[in-house]
């Protein structure tokens, strides 16, 4: 029986209607990240306000404009958010007011101050932002801001436009991702190394003893497992996996020959067996650590966790401990199954096994996280159980991006003058 989803509150329903298209694009978590973000814009130029407009409309949580310039005729000629009757007024203040009118869900703030003065007197202000976007900054301002935001690990986006030409330079000390939404991802089936309950479930089937009705509704995973075992017995190697085309073709032929036949010798239309034949290419992949995850589990940041460590690295350390112990060199079970031809009972029974193992693996990682949090004197709720479930489900997608500092590129110029 399928669970009936709980009804949405009026606020949730309104949010879903308002942001329907983008929710389809980046999902509920992506929208939540957007709604909790606080973007800082330095200089409300035409380019700066256009950038903010594109964040306000989809529902950015808040923005702060830092700008101590007044509106000029030049601004009026290029900036759609400023009008002639506002000439002489504070540019950031007016832009902030008009941008907020685009979306009442977004909070706008304005600081009438020189950037260099703020960096000198109140540098901690910049640690409160999710990202800082700049336009029309001088070199010294860029360098000072680059140094400060690199220390805080706050992304810096330096933007410039010259007529029809423009440039963007992103400074990112480190950016960690859990859900990267890969274009092509094979399901986590574990046919090469089924966990005990899954193996017992597979072994409980006797395909030859089933009547035609039940034979038509066996999940294709069972068929694949049975024929993998038969192929292994035939070649005398219980750990071998079919990797070469000829090896996979042998299994395909075996599966095809096991389809039930009519009295006249023609084959029944057994869609589940046809699914099994089509799945041979990806279903027999060896369960191993992806290279991107292998490198992350060796990262230097895992060696000395402190109370200042990001939750991502605490979870990665717990994941490494799981892989080295309970996981026997493998990631937690993802816990999801592709659709397949089968009767409801058989499919749900199989699906439940994967769900239960995924929950068990996630619990092991969560317990290790709690121990790590205790060791570095952080509250238990720093990382929630739901955080761990999402982390484990997408463990194969983990990604760490590290960039370079913009200030280094400016400061290196003098050293290369002679070479040029």
């Amino acid at each position: 029986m399928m669970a009936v989803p709980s009804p949405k509150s009026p606020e949730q329903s309104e949010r879903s209607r308002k942001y329907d298209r983008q929710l389809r694009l980046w999902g509920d978590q992506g929208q939540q990240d957007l709604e909790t973000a606080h973007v800082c814009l330095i200089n409300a130029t035409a380019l700066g306000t256009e950038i903010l407009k594109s964040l306000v409309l989809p529902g950015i949580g808040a923005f702060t404009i830092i700008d101590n310039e007044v509106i000029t005729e030049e601004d009026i000629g290029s900036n759609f958010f400023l009008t002639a009757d506002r000439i002489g007024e504070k540019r950031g203040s007016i832009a902030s007011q008009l941008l907020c009118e685009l979306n009442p869900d977004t909070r706008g703030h304005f600081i009438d101050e020189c950037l260099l003065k703020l960096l000198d007197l109140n540098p901690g202000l910049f640690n409160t932002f999710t990202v800082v976007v700049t336009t029309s900054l001088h070199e010294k301002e860029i360098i000072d801001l680059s140094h400060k935001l690199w220390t805080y690990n706050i992304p810096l986006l330096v933007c410039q436009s010259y007529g029809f030409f423009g440039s963007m330079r992103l400074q990112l000390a480190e950016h960690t991702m859990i859900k990267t939404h890969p274009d092509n991802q094979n399901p986590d089936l574990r046919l090469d190394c089924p966990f005990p309950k899954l193996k017992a479930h597979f072994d409980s089937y006797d395909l030859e003893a089933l009547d035609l009705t039940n034979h038509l509704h066996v999940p294709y995973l069972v068929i694949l497992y049975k024929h993998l075992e038969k192929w292994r017995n035939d070649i005398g190697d219980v750990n071998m996996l079919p990797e070469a085309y000829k090896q996979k073709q042998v299994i395909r032929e075996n599966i095809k020959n096991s389809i039930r036949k009519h009295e006249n010798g023609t084959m029944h239309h057994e869609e589940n067996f046809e699914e099994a034949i089509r799945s041979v290419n990806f279903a027999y992949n060896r369960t191993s650590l992806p290279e991107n995850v292998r490198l992350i589990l060796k990262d230097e940041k895992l060696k000395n966790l402190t109370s200042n460590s990001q939750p991502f690295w605490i979870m990665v350390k717990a994941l490494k401990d799981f892989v080295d112990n309970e996981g026997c060199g493998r990631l937690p079970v993802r816990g999801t199954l592709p659709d397949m031809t089968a009767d409801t009972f058989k499919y749900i029974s199989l699906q439940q096994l994967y769900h239960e193992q995924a929950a068990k693996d996630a619990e092991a990682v969560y317990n290790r996280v709690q121990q790590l949090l205790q060791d570095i004197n952080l509250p238990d709720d720093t990382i929630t159980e739901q955080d761990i479930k999402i982390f484990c489900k997408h463990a194969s997608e983990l990604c760490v991006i590290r960039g370079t500092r913009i200030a280094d590129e400016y400061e290196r110029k003098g050293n290369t003058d002679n070479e040029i």
Side-chain angles (χ1 to χ4, degrees):
M1 180 181 293
M2 296 182 62
V4 179
S6 57
K8 293 183 178 180
S9 66
E11 294 81 6
Q12 290 174 316
S13 299
E14 175 59 30
R15 174 177 176 271
S16 297
R17 285 193 295 270
K18 183 174 182 178
Y19 299 124
D20 175 67
R21 290 189 177 183
Q22 60 206 51
L23 282 167
R24 297 184 191 189
L25 178 63
W26 52 61
D28 192 69
Q29 183 62 45
Q31 184 64 26
Q32 184 178 337
D33 290 342
L34 192 68
E35 292 173 0
T36 56
H38 189 164
V39 175
C40 172
L41 171 67
I42 300 174
N43 292 332
T45 61
L47 176 60
T49 51
E50 284 297 316
I51 291 171
L52 269 189
K53 177 204 73 174
S54 298
L55 293 171
V56 169
L57 288 174
I60 195 81
F63 67 83
T64 295
I65 296 177
I66 298 175
D67 192 340
N68 65 340
E69 298 291 332
V70 296
I71 299 172
T72 64
E73 289 187 5
E74 184 179 354
D75 292 317
I76 301 303
S78 60
N79 196 328
F80 292 110
F81 287 90
L82 305 176
T83 54
D85 60 327
R86 298 290 192 172
I87 290 178
E89 297 186 44
K90 287 297 181 180
R91 184 171 64 181
S93 175
I94 301 304
S96 176
Q97 294 172 28
L98 296 177
L99 283 165
C100 283
E101 291 180 7
L102 296 176
N103 193 340
D105 294 340
T106 299
R107 306 181 310 278
H109 312 279
F110 161 62
I111 298 177
D112 179 18
E113 191 58 83
C114 167
L115 173 61
L116 292 177
K117 188 175 180 180
L118 272 178
L119 286 171
D120 183 42
L121 299 179
N122 188 16
L125 167 71
F126 294 90
N127 198 26
T128 64
F129 301 127
T130 308
V131 61
V132 176
V133 181
T134 76
T135 64
S136 300
L137 283 188
H138 297 296
E139 184 173 312
K140 176 173 174 48
E141 294 173 312
I142 293 175
I143 291 173
D144 288 359
L145 189 61
S146 170
H147 280 298
K148 186 58 62 179
L149 295 183
W150 185 268
T151 303
Y152 293 146
N153 194 28
I154 303 295
L156 168 63
L157 185 62
V158 177
C159 305
Q160 300 284 354
S161 65
Y162 309 93
F164 289 111
F165 296 92
S167 68
M168 293 186 297
R169 168 66 166 90
L170 175 63
Q171 171 181 290
L172 198 64
E174 178 182 275
H175 181 60
T176 58
M177 291 182 285
I178 297 172
K179 298 169 68 174
T180 54
H181 304 286
D183 292 332
N184 298 300
Q185 185 179 56
N186 289 328
D188 183 19
L189 303 177
R190 309 283 170 123
L191 293 181
D192 61 322
C193 55
F195 43 91
K197 286 188 177 181
L198 181 62
K199 186 179 187 309
H201 183 78
F202 287 152
D203 290 339
S204 69
Y205 277 86
D206 183 351
L207 297 184
E208 295 182 2
L210 295 176
D211 59 34
L212 179 59
T213 300
N214 282 307
H215 203 256
L216 287 164
H217 293 94
V218 175
Y220 75 74
L221 291 191
V222 178
I223 300 168
L224 287 170
Y225 176 79
K226 290 291 188 180
H227 281 276
L228 174 62
E229 292 296 286
K230 179 183 183 303
W231 178 78
R232 283 172 165 175
N233 289 331
D234 290 344
I235 65 172
D237 188 341
V238 296
N239 296 312
M240 187 72 171
L241 279 178
E243 297 177 350
Y245 172 79
K246 288 184 177 180
Q247 293 172 327
K248 292 180 178 180
Q249 194 60 24
V250 169
I251 293 184
R252 291 192 188 96
E253 288 299 320
N254 289 341
I255 295 174
K256 183 178 180 181
N257 292 333
S258 65
I259 296 176
R260 297 284 173 86
K261 294 179 175 59
H262 294 281
E263 292 181 359
N264 61 7
T266 60
M267 290 188 296
H268 282 279
H269 177 60
E270 296 196 80
E271 191 172 347
N272 51 340
F273 280 77
E274 293 172 3
E275 287 177 347
I277 293 171
R278 292 195 298 268
S279 303
V280 166
N281 266 343
F282 67 81
Y284 290 141
N285 288 338
R286 193 173 297 279
T287 305
S288 58
L289 287 179
E291 185 60 24
N292 60 304
V293 178
R294 190 186 303 278
L295 293 174
I296 291 173
L297 296 185
K298 293 180 179 179
D299 199 282
E300 292 293 317
K301 287 209 167 183
L302 299 183
K303 292 184 178 179
N304 293 299
L305 293 179
T306 69
S307 57
N308 294 322
S309 296
Q310 294 294 319
F312 175 87
W313 291 110
I314 298 172
M315 291 190 288
V316 169
K317 180 62 171 72
L319 178 67
K320 182 180 186 304
D321 292 342
F322 173 86
V323 170
D324 292 342
N325 295 283
E326 299 98 326
C328 299
R330 304 180 188 95
L331 294 175
V333 171
R334 198 178 301 156
T336 56
L337 279 185
D339 290 334
M340 59 189 72
T341 300
D343 66 48
T344 303
F345 175 77
K346 289 185 178 67
Y347 179 75
I348 290 180
S349 298
L350 186 59
Q351 186 182 55
Q352 192 64 33
L353 291 173
Y354 282 91
H355 284 177
E356 289 174 358
Q357 187 62 40
K360 180 181 177 182
D361 291 350
E363 183 181 8
V365 176
Y366 178 70
N367 290 337
R368 179 57 181 153
V369 163
Q370 290 301 302
Q371 183 181 341
L372 290 170
L373 291 174
Q374 186 177 358
D375 292 343
I376 58 179
N377 297 316
L378 284 176
D380 292 347
D381 59 357
T382 301
I383 299 171
T384 67
E385 195 168 358
Q386 182 61 27
D387 293 334
I388 295 300
K389 288 179 179 179
I390 294 173
F391 180 81
C392 290
K393 182 177 180 179
H394 299 277
S396 63
E397 307 170 32
L398 300 182
C399 180
V400 176
I401 298 174
R402 292 186 172 113
T404 56
R405 186 164 47 186
I406 294 176
D408 293 341
E409 297 164 14
Y410 280 97
E411 293 167 347
R412 195 181 299 124
K413 286 194 303 183
N415 298 331
T416 59
D417 286 348
N418 292 333
E419 295 177 21
I420 294 173

